[in-house]
Amino acid sequence: MSALLNKAGIPIAAARGAAIRQQLLELPAPVVADALGYHEKTTSRLRNETGGTWSRYAPGDHTRSPAG
């Protein structure tokens, strides 16, 4: 696939970088890291570079009710 994209003149590295940055604007960094196999520190750094607003996201199971 990458060979075909290169042959078509599409810069793969730039496209990959743009795609993950777009995901980080829409989703929390830990979610993107888990889904794409990136380290959480990498996605957090990229999120900060893109100006993402998920800085207060608390990862974990949010389907459970709070105790009490």
Side-chain angles (χ1 to χ4, degrees), residues 2-68:
S2 64
L4 290 173
L5 292 171
N6 275 330
K7 190 174 182 179
I10 299 171
I12 296 170
R16 183 183 309 128
I20 191 170
R21 283 173 174 79
Q22 182 61 39
Q23 289 296 307
L24 288 167
L25 291 173
E26 298 174 10
L27 299 166
V31 173
V32 175
D34 187 45
L36 300 179
Y38 280 81
H39 194 278
E40 286 185 30
K41 288 185 178 185
T42 301
T43 55
S44 293
R45 179 181 51 80
L46 290 171
R47 181 208 59 226
N48 291 338
E49 290 174 5
T50 60
T53 59
W54 290 98
S55 62
R56 303 184 131 232
Y57 174 76
D61 185 2
H62 296 280
T63 60
R64 296 181 301 163
S65 301

